[in-house]
Amino acid sequence: MRSWDAFSASEAEIRGMVVDPRWRELPVPAQAQVIAARVLVTPDGDRWLFGAHARWYLHDPADGRWHPAPPPRSSSVRQVSHPAAVLPARLIPRGPDFAAEPGSTQAFIGPDVPEALTEQVRVLLRASGRKSELEFPLTAFDEIFASDVPSTVAAIWGAVMWCSYAPAFDGNERLITIFGEYLRRPLPGDEWVRWLPQPSLLDLVVPVAERARNGRARAALRLLALLADTARILLADARFRPRALALITMIEPALRAQGLDDDAARVDDETVRQAWLSRCPPRFGRALLAETDPADNFRHSVYDLLEAVAFTPDPYAAAAGFLADLSDSKERLPRMLCHRLREAYRELDQAGLTRTSAAERTQPDGFQIPQTGEYVVPQEWTGSGSFPALPAPLPATVTGGQAVPEGGDEGGPDRASAAAVLGAAYATGLAWQRLTGARVPAKGFAGSQGLVQRLIRERDDSHP
């Protein structure tokens, strides 16, 4: 049995338990015991568990933390039970987090945004551009748009950028060029790629709250409707869908109950932002990590990057190459990485390509988890799972349902895979900026340039 099948089998078993209505009736200690009984161990001693946000976590022997990390493709696996282990509550699936909307890590370079989507945004934009800047003053995105542009235009732009997984766009992408007449200055990047900043939720809130505070209820409602209408259009592209759904969910209650956030607006913009976030159900938790937990958002962005480079012979080395582009004067980055990725990052440091302060120590003997008390865990969930010990892997590994020769795909990525790497790498850079304030280069990160050159030769359209 191949190792990928072992991880898939364990994942399927845990998914089945978490979606069972009985799961939510168990207290966290009981849930922790069930999950801890299904830890997988590879021959190198690495310990893996499938947990919160329906993702895998790798135990770090240096400090005992669990880091989000996709599982290996080629290694034998055994399943172990840790009846006395402590698992952090944040790792335990709650249920709704397993119902998150799947998205895509692809950048908007190579595969174009669907033409029908762009046309709907263009029509919405054209009508919004005719609004008065006196009725809709530009109170956000003034670094992007000219001073006489109404905030209705900025609202559409803000929704597009906020909903995007990674706003790196083909310089000829029509979804961006339709805003050309409203721009204050050329967008960051060049004619081939526009490396655009991703706004915060507060940037979307500010124009709405400003109108509400000034007694312009109809204008505030119009801006909310534009945000929601844009997000609904964006649902057609998986690169926008998870955050677009979250944005719609936050805004729709205020559209149904006019003045819902007026009291919050009279306090300040941040109070409105918190009101919006409070209306979003737990299943959108990962889509909103950038707003609620920037550190965890960065870790999950690194997970996406590792998944995107899984076709390479050494995914950790490939991901470390992109992470080496990040500015890290305070040497915070190594502590944010799992030990396998930290080792790859250290090799770049030793080659003089970056710096790291990571250190390895002896793996601890075990963990401890709280007792379950009087709650009863369903009989079929007790024990250490249902599949047997696994033999050594076969000569080929399986990833995403496709066979890949041992050692990776020597032919390199196809266009979709390259776009996913580019998007994940840029999203990781933006997550690092959100966490640390580090600058994102106007022309993109150096490690992405090779992929850009590959993708611009395979774009859907032609450059004039």
Side-chain angles (χ1 to χ4, degrees), residues 121 125 145 153 156-157 160 175-183:
V121 174
L125 179 64
F145 298 108
V153 169
I156 297 172
W157 172 273
V160 171
L175 184 61
I176 299 304
T177 61
I178 59 176
F179 288 90
E181 64 183 285
Y182 305 107
L183 297 178

Side-chain angles (χ1 to χ4, degrees), residues 163-182:
C163 292
S164 64
Y165 173 80
F169 286 84
D170 186 322
N172 204 32
E173 172 56 61
R174 189 162 171 258
L175 184 61
I176 299 304
T177 61
I178 59 176
F179 288 90
E181 64 183 285
Y182 305 107

Side-chain angles (χ1 to χ4, degrees), residues 67-131:
H67 292 266
R73 294 183 306 171
S74 54
S75 176
S76 58
V77 176
R78 61 188 173 91
Q79 192 171 48
V80 298
S81 176
H82 295 281
V86 167
L87 296 180
R90 65 178 182 83
L91 295 184
I92 309 305
R94 297 293 189 265
D97 56 327
F98 269 44
E101 178 71 22
S104 169
T105 68
Q106 286 186 350
F108 300 89
I109 304 166
D112 278 351
V113 175
E115 185 176 346
L117 185 159
T118 300
E119 179 59 19
Q120 290 180 73
V121 174
R122 186 196 68 79
V123 171
L124 193 63
L125 179 64
R126 180 56 59 93
S128 299
R130 292 194 289 265
K131 300 295 183 181

Side-chain angles (χ1 to χ4, degrees), residues 11 13 49 63 87 89 138 142 157 180 188 208 231 249 266 295 307 327 347 362 372 375 390 449 456 459:
E11 177 177 332
E13 183 184 27
L49 67 82
D63 56 18
L87 296 180
L138 191 65
D142 53 348
W157 172 273
V208 178
T249 304
R266 281 189 281 271
E307 279 194 322
S327 175
E347 290 182 6
T362 304
T372 62
Y375 291 87
L390 305 174
Q449 294 308 311
I456 61 177
R459 64 204 316 177

Side-chain angles (χ1 to χ4, degrees), residues 346-365:
R346 177 184 290 128
E347 290 182 6
L348 295 179
D349 173 54
Q350 293 172 345
L353 299 176
T354 187
R355 294 186 301 171
T356 181
S357 59
E360 292 295 307
R361 296 193 293 275
T362 304
Q363 180 172 339
D365 292 332

Side-chain angles (χ1 to χ4, degrees), residues 15-16 24 60 68 70 107 140 150 200 207 212 227 231 244 247 254 272 274-275 277 290 299 307-308 430 442 464:
R15 282 183 181 274
R24 300 190 195 187
D60 192 329
S200 67
L227 290 171
L247 184 58
V272 178
Q274 291 297 333
L277 290 172
R299 294 187 185 97
E307 279 194 322
L430 292 175

Side-chain angles (χ1 to χ4, degrees), residues 298-341:
F298 175 73
R299 294 187 185 97
H300 281 278
S301 297
V302 172
Y303 188 111
D304 291 339
L305 179 58
L306 283 167
E307 279 194 322
V309 298
F311 61 85
T312 64
D314 187 346
Y316 290 117
F322 288 102
L323 293 173
D325 283 338
L326 303 182
S327 175
D328 186 29
S329 59
K330 296 182 180 179
E331 299 187 348
R332 295 177 60 182
L333 180 58
R335 297 190 295 274
M336 302 288 294
L337 309 177
C338 71
H339 64 288
R340 294 300 177 191
L341 186 52

